Each structure stands twice: as structure tokens, then as C-alpha cells.
Amino acid sequence: MKINLNDKNINKVSADVEIIITCPKNLNKVHDIKLLEKVNFKAHDEEVVLLLEKQKIYVGCEDSSYDAIAISIAAAIKELKKTTFTSAKVLLENDDANILKPLVEGAFLGEYEFSKYKAKKEKTNKIKLTIVCTKLTTLLVNTLEDSIIIASSVNKVRDFVNTIPNDFFPKTMSREAKKIAKNADVSVKIHGEDYLDNNKMHTMLAVGRASRHESQLIHLTYKPKNATKKIVLVGKGLTYDSGGLSLKPADSMLGMKSDKGGGCAVLGILNAVSLLKLPIEVHGIIGAVENMIGGDAYKPDDVLIAKNGTSIEIKNTDAEGRLVLADCLCYAQEQVEDLDYIFDFATLTGAAMVGVGQYTTAIMGNDVGLKCSAVGTALRAGELATNLPFNRHLRKLIKSDIADIANLGTSRLGGAITAGIFLDQFITKKNKNKWLHFDIAAPAYVTHAWGYNPIGASGAGVRMTVEFLKNLDNNKC
Ligand code: BES
Ligand code: ZN
Ligand code: ZN
């Protein structure tokens, strides 16, 4: 997709098709109302009609929220892709940068297709979209550039997560991190299993033991000269989760290539913040591991010692993400002193999906204000998110008879929260209120198309985090 801004009169802008976004209450004012009535177009959200002879696409949009605008432009782009037309123009209402952002991001996200494994590729005509404004202000030009970087980073994450486990394993994650390290001010350190062994990261090491792929601890650092804050992002990068010896049932294993969604989101965020040249230091730390079965697999009944000395009774090898994150969180806090925020991203629990539905990220942490601010930021950035609360009763459920804690709660109820509480054990006192846990198990992988997301990876986590980092000084609840 190529998007540009133009301040000519819309009638003088040449394009195959004009896209007209309209709300139900303004429908009677549109030029083609008679024709639109004939096809029963009511301008409701997600409603789209192509008037072929007029070379116009009308799309409904019931309000000016991010979602409504992004979904409507995505619907128009999808309609356009069914034709042989390759260019379109659309009017930017009131020269509003808050409309431009969802317009650009919705167009990019709506155009996305993953056809790597199709012998016959779908038509890949690059679409050219001209957004027409009355005055080309710096704000509009900057908004356009930023939104292109953000949406392209989301699409990069979608490509990574959609790639099959045979083609995307821990070393592939390292390779992609190295590519991102080519951006200005980004460096990367890659550690293999010897490092994990020598640095007491035995819980992460155990999870990957039965895999033929060597586990990788990836540490990307974006450090511009003018950095004012230090942020650490930690990602669960399970390139495949079979469940291990506590093997998943066949149906639940399908889609587990998406268990690298958190780690890939961290790659996407590092890509975006470095291209946006944000004035902050950002660390991206990813535990890239494959959870498999075999004679060397770690077992239910094992007791593992995490990097901070906590002993963990393994009750289920399918609760592996929290083990990888435990060591990565310890590593992160040892490596980065005086951090301002530490966030982790993980497709951690099926329970999060049961609890909040398949579209929403569950955010947990100790600081209510920070959690609430993150939810607000996510919604503004076009991602659905909500808070889940810790409490003292749920905290008791991960007690173990023989070790410091267990990797499984004694009750399935509140499973997303007990997983969050488990991670909290690996957050130092100093960082308790600087930490947030994002369980993206639900939105990271789409099983029926919704909004501007086709089936497959959604790139969850990127837009909300970049928005948070762009507004670090005013992320108030
Ligand atoms: N990767 C899964 C969580 C998951 C489930 C992600 C569905 C995406 C879709 C995680 O490692 C897992 O298996 N969690 C278990 C935890 C349980 C054993 C406590 C789960 O949610 O069932
Ligand atoms: Zn698992
Ligand atoms: Zn998992």
C-alpha cells in the first residue's frame, strides 16, 4: 500500500475510485442517495457498497472512534481489492489528525494478506491511496509518517506469527532481531543455551530441553543519545507450544505457532520506536523457546530453580510461558538498572480468553493507576484491553507443598490472574509498581475474521505500547 496526502480539490485528484465514508445521519445528504437506497445501503458500521459505474465505494461509519474509522476504510480497501482498480482517494474530514491516524492504520491493516504458503498467490496489486485534506500541516504529515511506521510494524509481527513453526524457530527469532538491530541506535545480544546454563536460567532452559532447536535469549537495545526514560519490554516467544509432556489435546495444539505472539510484538515495538526515533531507551528481551516432548523433556513433578533462586514445582508442563518469563524477567531487572517501566507480553493463558473474550488483552499489575492508564491508551490506539485484579486469596492458590511456588494454581478459576501473580514473584520490590503484564492470548490470533483482522495473527500489543511510549509524560488515568 502506498498512501499520500494531497491538498488539491478532491475532484482534481486522479484515482480509479473515490471512497466515501458516511454515517447514517448524513446519508440523505450524499450525492448518490437514490442509488444507495436501491441497494438498501444504510451506512451502518461495516456496511460497504461499490457503485461500479460511478467508480465510488460507500462505507458506513457510525461514529468517529478509532475502531469505526479503521474498520470502515479497511472494508473499502477489501472491496477495492476484489476489482482490478488499483488507486483510490478519500476525503479527510476537517483535516483532523485523529481521523487520519485510524484511516492510515486501518487501510494498511485491512489490506494485509498472508499468502506465503499459497502456490498461487492472490493478486498483489499495490494499492495507492490518496487522502485529501484542505491544508498540508506538519501535524498531518507527521501523523501520516508515524501511522505508516506503526501499521507496517504490526504487519511485520503478523508475518512473523503467521509463519509456521518449521520455518520460524528460536534462531529465526534471533535472525529477525538482528535485522531490526540494523535500524539506527539499535544493538542486539543473542544468548544460547550455554549462557542460560552459566547464568542460572534453568527454568527457561528446561522448557526448551526436548526441542531440536536451541533456545535463544534475545536482548535488543534501542538507545538514542537524547534518551530521557528507560523502558524494558519482555516477550514470551514460544515458537511452538505442544504442551510438553502434559500434551495438549489435538484441537488445542492447532494455532500454537501463535505462542510466539508476545516475543514478536516486542520485535515489532522495537522496530517502531527506533524508526519513530522516540527519545527513550527501550530494551526488548525475548525468551525464544520451543516446548516439545521427548526423553529429555522436563516433567510434571520436577522442581526447577529460577534465576532469582525461587524453586518452582512443575505441576503442568503446558504452563511453560510463565517459566520462560520468570527467568527473562529476572535477567531484565539485573541488566537494566533504574528502569522506569517493565512490561511483559505473552499469550499466557486460555483462561484470559475465557474471561474477557477473544478480542481483548487482559492487563495485570500492582499499580491500579498504571493499569488503568494502559487500558485507556490501548483503547485510544485501537486495541481492546481491560484490567484483571490480583487479590490475596488467589495468591494462595500457587502455593506448593514441596517448593516455593507451583506453576499451576490449585483451581482453574481465575487462571489468568494466578498466572499474573506467578510472574509477580519475579518482580523485585523496587519495580513492583513499574510492572505490567499483558496477557494477549485472546487477541493475538484470530480464528474468525473481525474488524480489519483476517484469520491469523493480529499483531496485538504493538499499537497500544507504541502509543503509551509516545506519550510517556501524560499517560494519566
Ligand atoms: N500458550 C498457552 C496459552 C494459550 C491458550 C494461548 C490458547 C493461546 C491460545 C499456555 O502455555 C498454556 O498452555 N496455558 C495453559 C495453562 C494451564 C496449564 C494452567 C492453559 O491456558 O490452558
Ligand atoms: Zn502451554
Ligand atoms: Zn504457551
Side-chain angles (χ1 to χ4, degrees):
M1 158 108 22
K2 259 188 110 64
I3 304 192
N4 68 302
L5 270 169
N6 194 320
D7 59 357
K8 274 196 215 154
N9 180 309
I10 192 155
N11 298 320
K12 301 220 171 91
V13 174
S14 75
D16 295 336
V17 172
E18 181 177 350
I19 295 170
I20 297 153
I21 300 176
T22 183
C23 62
K25 85 173 188 303
N26 290 338
L27 188 56
N28 55 356
K29 296 187 203 137
V30 304
H31 191 255
D32 297 301
I33 180 67
K34 289 276 170 301
L35 267 176
L36 292 172
E37 276 172 359
K38 288 212 166 72
V39 291
N40 226 353
F41 179 75
K42 298 276 193 299
H44 291 312
D45 271 347
E46 309 195 22
E47 220 184 328
V48 55
V49 61
L50 165 68
L51 300 182
L52 194 55
E53 291 195 353
K54 301 251 173 189
Q55 292 184 222
K56 286 183 187 169
I57 293 175
Y58 279 90
V59 272
C61 183
E62 291 183 43
D63 56 55
S64 55
S65 64
Y66 181 105
D67 253 7
I69 295 164
I71 290 172
S72 64
I73 190 75
I77 299 291
K78 273 185 253 167
E79 196 65 24
L80 186 69
K81 282 181 75 181
K82 292 182 198 158
T83 71
T84 55
F85 296 133
T86 56
S87 62
K89 57 185 175 183
V90 63
L91 192 67
L92 173 63
E93 211 170 310
N94 305 324
D95 281 5
D96 187 344
N98 291 324
I99 294 183
L100 181 60
K101 181 176 163 67
L103 217 46
V104 175
E105 294 177 8
F108 261 88
L109 299 178
E111 192 212 22
Y112 178 84
E113 257 170 45
F114 184 71
S115 51
K116 189 175 166 121
Y117 298 110
K118 297 264 190 201
K120 236 174 94 201
K121 306 278 185 243
E122 298 276 312
K123 175 190 86 174
T124 52
N125 276 344
K126 277 266 171 249
I127 290 172
K128 188 174 161 239
L129 177 66
T130 304
I131 300 179
V132 183
C133 58
T134 53
K135 195 158 176 268
L136 271 175
T137 60
T138 320
L139 176 64
L140 290 184
V141 173
N142 289 345
T143 304
L144 172 70
E145 283 175 3
D146 287 7
S147 297
I148 291 175
I149 290 174
I150 294 166
S152 313
S153 299
V154 175
N155 284 346
K156 202 186 230 320
V157 174
R158 285 167 154 187
D159 275 345
F160 293 163
V161 176
N162 281 328
T163 301
I164 60 166
N166 227 14
D167 291 341
F168 200 113
F169 37 88
K171 282 197 171 147
T172 321
M173 194 93 116
S174 300
R175 194 185 70 212
E176 294 302 337
K178 285 182 196 156
K179 286 193 204 157
I180 290 167
K182 294 199 169 119
N183 293 354
D185 297 323
V186 184
S187 59
V188 66
K189 280 189 268 176
I190 310 279
H191 302 296
E193 291 182 352
D194 284 345
Y195 179 95
L196 299 180
D197 194 14
N198 293 333
N199 288 276
K200 301 193 187 140
M201 298 180 72
H202 289 114
T203 59
M204 174 168 163
L205 194 59
V207 173
R209 218 166 56 204
S211 168
R212 70 189 177 95
H213 296 292
E214 187 182 1
S215 299
Q216 304 275 282
L217 171 65
I218 301 165
H219 185 166
L220 277 161
T221 305
Y222 164 64
K223 194 170 181 178
K225 287 194 182 63
N226 54 345
T228 52
K229 294 248 158 72
K230 257 194 227 176
I231 314 296
V232 181
L233 309 173
V234 179
K236 168 180 174 183
L238 261 288
T239 58
Y240 200 70
D241 180 12
S242 68
L245 289 179
S246 312
L247 197 63
K248 284 184 184 293
D251 286 351
S252 311
M253 213 183 291
L254 253 186
M256 276 304 136
K257 65 175 182 179
S258 70
D259 216 20
K260 56 187 179 299
C264 292
V266 171
L267 289 179
I269 298 163
L270 262 289
N271 185 58
V273 294
S274 55
L275 294 178
L276 291 168
K277 302 195 185 320
L278 297 189
I280 50 177
E281 182 176 322
V282 186
H283 294 260
I285 291 161
I286 301 161
V289 184
E290 191 183 55
N291 186 20
M292 298 299 285
I293 55 171
D296 197 27
Y298 81 122
K299 307 171 189 70
D301 275 354
D302 274 343
V303 172
L304 304 174
I305 314 292
K307 188 165 174 47
N308 69 351
T310 304
S311 62
I312 305 167
E313 179 189 0
I314 304 304
K315 287 188 171 172
N316 189 315
T317 61
D318 197 13
E320 84 302 333
R322 63 197 74 182
L323 301 173
V324 172
L325 285 177
D327 271 349
C328 288
L329 286 167
C330 295
Y331 167 89
Q333 294 166 101
E334 276 178 22
Q335 294 283 314
V336 188
E337 284 173 4
D338 299 322
L339 55 86
D340 291 284
Y341 291 113
I342 174 164
F343 295 166
D344 75 74
F345 301 85
T347 48
L348 204 63
T349 63
M353 203 179 298
V354 175
V356 302
Q358 56 192 309
Y359 315 101
T360 304
T361 293
I363 305 183
M364 286 157 258
N366 297 302
D367 186 311
V368 176
L370 182 59
K371 280 199 295 182
C372 148
S373 154
V375 169
T377 308
L379 299 178
R380 241 190 359 261
E383 292 197 53
L384 296 171
T386 191
N387 281 323
L388 292 183
F390 292 163
N391 67 51
R392 69 175 77 196
H393 311 292
L394 285 168
R395 207 172 273 281
K396 291 180 193 152
L397 303 188
I398 55 167
K399 282 194 169 159
S400 161
D401 293 331
I402 64 162
D404 298 334
I405 47 171
N407 79 330
L408 187 70
T410 47
S411 162
R412 285 163 53 89
L413 307 180
I417 303 178
T418 45
I421 291 172
F422 179 95
L423 297 180
D424 183 37
Q425 307 291 314
F426 302 91
I427 301 296
T428 62
K429 258 205 182 95
K430 206 166 115 188
N431 291 330
K432 286 285 183 217
N433 289 334
K434 300 176 179 179
W435 167 67
L436 286 179
H437 160 54
F438 294 78
D439 192 334
I440 57 168
Y445 200 71
V446 172
T447 49
H448 73 269
W450 53 270
Y452 32 74
N453 293 307
I455 288 176
S458 72
V462 175
R463 282 174 298 156
M464 59 180 163
T465 310
V466 172
E467 180 71 14
F468 189 93
L469 298 179
K470 278 181 94 177
N471 299 288
L472 268 185
D473 292 326
N474 36 22
N475 283 316
K476 293 265 149 38
C477 193

